[in-house]
């Protein structure tokens, strides 16, 4: 028997390696330098992320499939790397102040954020279901811990436990789906599945269909689409606020990266079977999310969680539309969503008092008087989430709906337009509290430099993508084109 | 030789048992063990397919799954322990501060 | 034409918004108006320059600043279209806008939210300017959304008043219905023409099928109906009077509510090709005109009279557009901006003088106390009533004339009757406010004072415009300056804009217009000056009609019964979730426990069968509990997931 050593090209996974190395370094420094502050660890993490970003940009344009067909290097994965790193950097920036306030400033926090990001990158680059599965688990395990990072706080415990139990439950289905596809095609490689899946009949067909459906369940859970969405509000509410931001943006983007790759690249031949399911999930997500968000007044994090379900509905609509246009609209929207959603959470971090026991909308009364900049930024993010022009959210929605119309999903686009019309109502509710109520006593604090940087980045991104979306959309289209080979 | 379908039925049954356990047991640890049953049902499927298709990769995958399951166990038990420290119970139906 | 100067017109107020928004409360405080008014004044001057270029140098421009949204083979630019139609709108928006801003310095003086007020007003100016200058539907939509947002914020400006925040909410929701229609219309334009640029869409309009064009125009018109408060979405505008009076003057009379008229006029190429839509526009306009004029007959709140009058006059504009007299519709938009802006500002001045009193039954005899407000309001009323030579006569007469000549006799008759009512209610307002015995409450009567000059000067200027703003651009009828000017936009696309000398029928129609105007005026004088006991007697005699009108045909109540209450009930039951969840959770737990007992029994005996049956039972039980959604129990969530899987699986089995 002769062994063929797989070719190992570490350069191609340099972004992942930089992050991993930084994460380990953060762990080591935390363990062996007793007096290190969380601020310097955050700085270290950001430097590592920037190095990874540089490595990502350095690889731009290259295409290869490496590690015995496990990992692909293509513009698609590199685009997602940028989204993930952006999400991670923003998360680290808004975490510094939060960790100190809640007195949970441990170094593992940053290491886990970085590890989770590595997991996303592997998911986005994986061209084998096993690689995707490993990436998914690296991501999920880090997030389970991060959700419960406030060990003394019952809410955080509960959030972690729910996320863990339901996440592991979903993993079971996801894995079963892989097993069935493996049984039907004899491989977990996406290329092989693409070749074989379309032409199976009879028994093999049942396996393929079953496998595909179970994969849909797994992805549906990770992206929090109805009917696999119920964990979202509870987990977002209990988790540390920066982690809620991270989960709703970067982690979701990671799941969507694999979702797009598997369904648009590997299983397009079965579109006739999965399109109706996806359409149903998209409509349900948009409608149910909207209904739940409309009646949520108790907690802003829950409101953002419910509204994130609506946004997942839009993203699914883009995915469903398929092709370069649909795929690119998903990529663009994920990037835009990262800016505006993390931005919104950043303001929540800034305005929430220690312990965050009251995050009701009433807490935001009259914020505009005491914190005019924060109020203005928050309004910008909320209006962008609602899709008011000329913000990133508007352009993103416009791309998605126009892709849907071009793909002939007119009814779905109409549902999307209507839910986004309604969504302004609950987003504007927050703005009304900020601008049109008498101020309540909020602790007078100066935001940390890190938080200000994060806010500035998010504002810049939201405005930039709203006013000058052209070049980024081109990039998104190139990325999807590199994936679909068109 | 036992035909493939037998293995598949057994693993499907195991998977269903796991799912039922997740749904009806109250103790978080038992729920977690039920999830492990689900994962191992999948492992059985992989191995059966691997043998049937005469392809080794199915068995390699099982090793990956086992590793991941071990990591999951470590994290999961840690979460359960920290919950136990705070409220001296691991019953999932007492854990519903977050709702609505 | 320098693109830079054109771009500055909306950019200057935008800058003022930023500075006032960030520094207003901390630094500028009661000096916030300097930026707010200054920026609008500058953009008014720049607009005048642009209008001059368009009118006298024949300049036209389609300025593209950059490609904004590019998706595949389709792109939308940020760009401004400068043509005579835009020029007229620029004059109305910046001109009336400037006067109202100046007036606000006095009216809002001492208000705790002074900087906030100017921030919103400037934001409104920015959005409105984008709306009228846009060279494509998407940018127009940007402005469309922006003005809606500002309107909502300004209606609810005095948020401590519950009625004000309710009114804001109502305006918002009703407008969103219209916006949804508009947005769908824009998507349909995009689907049909693959572009949203006016210069791409309009030349190719005749290539599209009539059915598609009808659908597009009807959807766009739904947007216009919402924004311009036409039947049946008119309910928000009267309530919008809860906002400060300058807001009512600028947003809910002169500019924003006319956005729908502008949009339809801008899309006249599409509408001209869809005769059904045009007929709908005409009918809705004429019906709205008479419907709200009749409500205006009996209202007692001075601002509500104005509000119904606005709805009614907007109806005239749509009526004009609907019979193909686009230039007349826009002409009426312009004259209406002058005299209705004046009516509102004058009413504001009266309210200001009476320290907040709005009920005309507690006014009267104010003429001598308000030496500037009274005559200017008189002028405005003459203009609104359509008495020549004041502004309203020329534009309204043209609309009615066009309708008559188009053969729309029924709608024409409605318009004439509405004109009679208009003359009656506006002079009823004048007589109840300024003439007769004073019915002002004692404690208010001592403090009656004329408004400061910063408020009266805008009144005087608007009165001048209301006097000559019709005859100068509009004489001779259908051949005046404004027709030559706007005709360049409308005539090029075959809109039937009659170009002929005055015939006998024109003089006849003019005579009818003057006659009904004078008759309404005379009747009001007879009722409220000569025989003040008659109105009460009539109200008693025809009490059903009176109550019908006083209660605005019970439209609000009908909507409440048919739409609002069912929705509220749904909302309430959703809100009850939280409470029900508790017992739901208890039930759920006990149910699962019982179930578990049963299943563990089965486990011992027939493990496999038991699991399958158990799963079935769980699903059945889950279906029962499915409504109690977010219970907070992880297992319920897992159950919901499983249910989702079963749905997916059964879908497979079915198809």
């Amino acid at each position: 028997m002769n062994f063929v050593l797989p070719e190992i090209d570490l350069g191609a996974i340099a972004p992942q390696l930089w992050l991993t190395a930084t994460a380990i370094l953060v762990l080591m420094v935390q363990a062996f330098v007793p007096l290190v502050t969380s601020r310097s660890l955050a700085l270290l993490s950001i430097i590592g992320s920037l190095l990874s970003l540089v490595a990502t940009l350095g690889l731009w344009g290259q295409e290869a499939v490496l590690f015995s067909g496990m990992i692909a290097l293509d513009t698609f994965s590199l685009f997602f790397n940028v989204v993930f790193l952006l999400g991670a950097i923003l998360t680290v920036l808004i975490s510094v102040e939060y960790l100190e306030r809640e007195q949970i400033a441990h170094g593992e926090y940053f290491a886990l954020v970085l590890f989770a990001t590595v997991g996303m990158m592997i998911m986005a680059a994986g061209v084998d279901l096993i690689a995707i599965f490993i990436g998914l688990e690296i991501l999920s395990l880090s997030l389970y811990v991060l959700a419960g990072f406030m060990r003394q706080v019952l809410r955080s415990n509960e959030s972690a436990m729910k996320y863990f139990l339901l996440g592991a439950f979903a993993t079971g289905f996801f894995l079963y789906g892989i097993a069935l596809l493996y049984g039907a095609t004899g491989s977990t490689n996406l290329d092989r599945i693409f070749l074989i899946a379309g032409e199976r009949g009879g028994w093999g067909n049942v396996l393929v269909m079953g496998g595909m459906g179970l994969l849909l369940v797994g992805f549906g859970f990770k992206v929090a689409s109805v009917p696999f969405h119920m964990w979202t509000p509870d987990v977002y509410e209990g988790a540390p606020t920066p982690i809620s931001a991270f989960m709703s943006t970067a982690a979701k983007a990671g799941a969507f990266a694999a979702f797009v790759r598997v369904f648009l690249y590997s299983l397009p031949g079965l579109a006739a079977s999965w399109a109706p399911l996806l359409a149903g999930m998209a409509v349900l997500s948009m409608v149910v999310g909207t209904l739940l968000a409309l009646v949520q007044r108790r907690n802003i994090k829950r409101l953002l969680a419910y509204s994130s379900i609506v946004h997942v509905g839009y993203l699914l609509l883009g995915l469903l539309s398929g092709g370069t246009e649909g795929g690119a609209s998903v990529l663009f929207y994920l990037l835009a969503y990262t800016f505006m959603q993390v931005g919104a959470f950043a303001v929540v971090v800034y305005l929430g008092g220690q312990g965050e026991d009251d995050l009701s909308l009433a807490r935001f009364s009259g914020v505009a008087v005491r914190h005019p900049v924060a109020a203005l930024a928050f309004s910008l993010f909320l209006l962008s989430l609602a899709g008011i022009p000329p913000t990133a959210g508007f352009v993103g929605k416009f791309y998605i709906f126009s892709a849907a119309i071009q793909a002939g999903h007119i009814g779905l686009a109409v549902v999307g337009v209507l839910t986004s019309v309604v969504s302004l109502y609950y987003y504007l509710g927050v703005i009304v509290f900020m601008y049109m109520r008498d101020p309540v006593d909020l602790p007078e604090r100066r935001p940390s430099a890190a938080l200000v940087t994060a806010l500035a980045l998010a504002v810049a991104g939201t405005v930039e993508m709203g006013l000058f979306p052209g070049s980024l959309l081109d990039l998104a289209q190139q990325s999807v084109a590199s994936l679909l080979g068109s | 030789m036992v035909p493939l379908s037998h293995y598949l039925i057994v693993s499907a049954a195991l998977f269903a048992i796991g799912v039922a356990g997740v749904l009806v047991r109250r103790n978080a640890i038992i729920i977690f063990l039920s999830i492990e049953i689900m994962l191992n049902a999948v492992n059985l499927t992989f191995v059966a397919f691997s043998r049937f298709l005469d392809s080794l990769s199915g068995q390699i995958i099982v090793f990956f799954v086992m590793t991941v399951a071990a990591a999951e166990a470590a994290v999961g038990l840690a979460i359960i322990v920290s919950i136990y420290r705070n409220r001296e119970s691991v019953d999932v139906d007492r854990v519903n501060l977050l709702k609505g | 034409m320098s693109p830079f100067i054109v771009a500055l017109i909306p950019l200057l107020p935008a800058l003022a918004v930023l500075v006032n928004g960030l520094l207003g409360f901390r630094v500028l405080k009661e000096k916030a108006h300097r930026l707010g008014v200054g920026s609008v004044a500058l953009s008014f001057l720049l607009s005048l320059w642009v209008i001059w270029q368009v009118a006298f140098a024949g300049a036209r421009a389609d300025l593209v600043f950059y490609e904004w949204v590019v998706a595949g083979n389709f792109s939308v630019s940020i760009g401004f279209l400068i043509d005579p139609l835009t020029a007229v709108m620029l004059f109305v928006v910046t001109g009336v806008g400037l006067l109202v801003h100046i007036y606000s310095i006095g009216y809002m003086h001492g208000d705790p939210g002074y900087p906030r007020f100017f921030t919103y007003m400037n934001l409104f100016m920015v959005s409105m300017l984008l709306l009228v200058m846009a060279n494509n539907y998407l940018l127009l939509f940007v402005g469309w959304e922006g003005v809606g947002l500002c309107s909502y914020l300004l209606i609810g400006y005095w948020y401590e008043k519950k009625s004000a925040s309710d009114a804001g909410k109502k305006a918002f929701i009703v407008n969103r219905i219209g916006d949804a229609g508009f947005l769908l219309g824009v998507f349909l334009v995009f689907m049909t023409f693959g572009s949203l640029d006016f210069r791409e869409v309009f030349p190719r309009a005749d290539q599209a099928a009539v059915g598609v064009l009808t659908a597009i125009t009807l959807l766009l018109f739904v947007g216009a109906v919402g924004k311009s408060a036409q039947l049946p979405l008119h309910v928000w505008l009267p309530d919008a009077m809860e906002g400060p009076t300058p807001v009512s003057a600028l947003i809910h009379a002169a500019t924003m509510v006319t956005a729908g008229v502008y949009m339809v006029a801008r899309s006249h190429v599409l509408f001209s090709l869809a005769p059904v839509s045009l007929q709908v526009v005409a009918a809705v306009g004429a019906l709205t005109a008479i419907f709200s004029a009749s409500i205006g007959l009996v209202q007692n709140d001075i601002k509500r009279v104005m509000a119904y009058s606005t709805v009614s006059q907007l109806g005239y504009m749509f009526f004009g557009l609907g019979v193909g007299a686009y230039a007349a519709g826009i002409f009426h938009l312009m004259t209406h901006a002058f005299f209705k802006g004046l009516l509102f500002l004058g009413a504001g001045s009266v309210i200001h003088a009476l320290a907040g009193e709005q009920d005309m039954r507690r006014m009267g005899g104010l003429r001598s106390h308000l030496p500037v407000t009274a005559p200017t309001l008189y002028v405005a009323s003459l203009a609104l009533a359509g008495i020549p030579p004041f502004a309203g006569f020329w534009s309204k007469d043209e609309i009615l004339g066009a309708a008559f000549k188009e053969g729309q006799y029924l709608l024409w008759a409605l318009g004439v009757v509405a004109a009679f009512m208009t003359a009656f209610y506006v002079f009823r307002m004048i007589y109840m406010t300024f003439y007769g015995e004073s019915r002002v409450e004692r404690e208010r009567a001592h403090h009656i004072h004329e408004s400061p000059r910063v408020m009266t000067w805008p009144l005087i200027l608007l009165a001048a415009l209301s006097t000559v703003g019709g005859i100068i651009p509009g004489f001779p009828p259908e051949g005046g300056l404004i027709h030559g000017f706007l005709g360049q936009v409308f005539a090029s696309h075959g809109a039937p804009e009659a170009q002929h000398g005055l015939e006998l029928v024109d003089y006849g129609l003019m005579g009818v217009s003057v006659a009904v105007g004078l008759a309404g005026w005379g009747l009001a004088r007879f009722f409220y000056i000569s025989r003040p006991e008659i109105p009460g007697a009539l109200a008693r005699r025809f009490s059903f009609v009176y109550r019908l009108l006083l209660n605005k045909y019970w439209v609000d109540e009908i909507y409440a019964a048919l739409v609002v209450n069912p929705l509220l009930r749904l909302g309430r039951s959703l809100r009850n979730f939280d409470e029900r969840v508790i017992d739901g959770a208890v039930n759920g737990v006990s149910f699962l426990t019982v179930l578990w007992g049963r299943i563990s029994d089965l486990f011992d005996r027939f493990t496999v069968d038991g699991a399958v049956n158990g799963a079935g039972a769980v699903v059945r039980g889950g279906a029962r509990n499915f409504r109690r959604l977010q219970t907070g129990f992880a297992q319920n969530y897992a159950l919901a997931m499983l249910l989702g899987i079963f749905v997916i699986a059964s879908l497979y089995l079915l198809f």
Side-chain angles (χ1 to χ4, degrees), chain B residues 25-36:
Chain B
R25 299 305 299 254
R26 295 159 119 185
N27 187 306
I29 294 180
I30 307 278
I31 291 179
F32 177 61
L33 289 180
S34 304
I35 292 172
E36 290 293 308

Side-chain angles (χ1 to χ4, degrees), chain C residues 354-440:
Chain C
L354 295 178
E357 181 62 73
Q358 300 196 8
D359 193 331
M360 293 191 295
R361 284 168 300 189
R362 288 196 285 277
M363 294 181 184
L366 292 174
R367 192 174 25 155
S368 53
H369 297 287
L370 303 173
V372 182
T373 308
T376 50
L377 260 187
Y378 214 101
V379 169
S381 305
L382 287 167
L384 173 60
I387 309 290
F390 294 95
F393 167 75
W394 305 98
S395 47
K396 193 195 286 185
D397 181 56
E398 268 179 30
I399 291 173
L400 290 174
F404 189 82
K405 280 182 260 177
E406 279 286 301
Q408 306 268 13
Y409 301 117
L410 178 65
L411 298 181
W412 173 80
L414 289 180
V416 170
V417 177
F420 170 73
M421 291 177 174
T422 307
F424 177 82
Y425 68 66
V426 71
F427 280 103
R428 169 177 177 265
M429 183 273 289
I430 290 285
Y431 293 132
M432 283 181 81
T433 312
F434 294 113
Y435 291 81
E437 294 290 305
S438 172
R439 297 178 299 277
V440 182

Side-chain angles (χ1 to χ4, degrees), chain A residues 162 166 173 212 228 230 234 306 370 388-389 394 399 402 405 421 425 428 432 436 438 466-469 473, chain C residues 26 66 68-71 142 145 152-153 156 159 169 172 176 187 190-191 630 632 634 637 640-641 645 652:
Chain A
K162 283 180 179 167
L166 294 169
F173 287 100
M212 189 195 74
F228 313 110
M230 303 186 91
D234 293 8
Y306 285 130
R370 300 276 168 79
I388 295 290
F394 168 72
Y399 283 141
S402 64
I405 286 178
V421 163
Y425 186 76
L428 210 54
V432 164
M436 313 188 88
D438 293 321
L467 288 179
F468 310 99
L473 190 79
Chain C
R26 302 208 158 172
Y66 65 93
W68 178 28
V69 180
V70 186
V142 174
E145 287 284 287
Y152 167 66
L153 291 171
Y159 51 81
K169 218 179 271 178
F172 180 74
R176 288 313 270 177
F187 269 106
F190 165 57
M191 271 175 68
Q630 298 290 343
Y637 298 174
M641 285 173 63
I645 296 166
Y652 272 135

Side-chain angles (χ1 to χ4, degrees), chain A residues 394-420:
Chain A
F394 168 72
V395 180
K397 270 184 197 153
F398 189 82
Y399 283 141
I400 287 186
F401 295 151
S402 64
I405 286 178
Q406 278 170 342
H409 299 296
I410 294 163
L412 293 174
V414 169
V415 174
V417 170
L418 293 181
T419 50
S420 75

Side-chain angles (χ1 to χ4, degrees), chain A residues 298-309:
Chain A
R298 186 171 63 75
N299 190 304
I300 185 89
K301 279 164 83 178
R302 286 187 88 82
L303 178 64
L304 287 172
Y306 285 130
S307 82
S308 82
I309 296 169

Side-chain angles (χ1 to χ4, degrees), chain C residues 221 224-231 234 236-237 251-262 281-282 284-290 292 306-322 329 332-334 336-337 339-340 384 399 425:
Chain C
F221 185 57
V225 164
K227 187 77 46 190
S228 298
Q230 296 294 289
L231 279 177
H234 65 287
W236 67 270
L237 188 57
I251 300 185
H252 304 118
T255 55
M256 183 193 86
V257 288
T258 62
V261 179
Y262 166 77
V281 173
V284 168
L287 282 174
T288 308
I290 190 165
S292 32
M306 304 292 171
Y308 282 105
S309 164
T310 305
V311 175
S312 163
Q313 296 299 309
L314 289 164
Y316 271 110
M317 296 174 209
F318 281 111
F319 182 26
L321 301 178
H332 195 54
L333 186 162
M334 184 176 86
H336 175 258
F339 63 71
K340 189 53 66 62
L384 173 60
I399 291 173
Y425 68 66

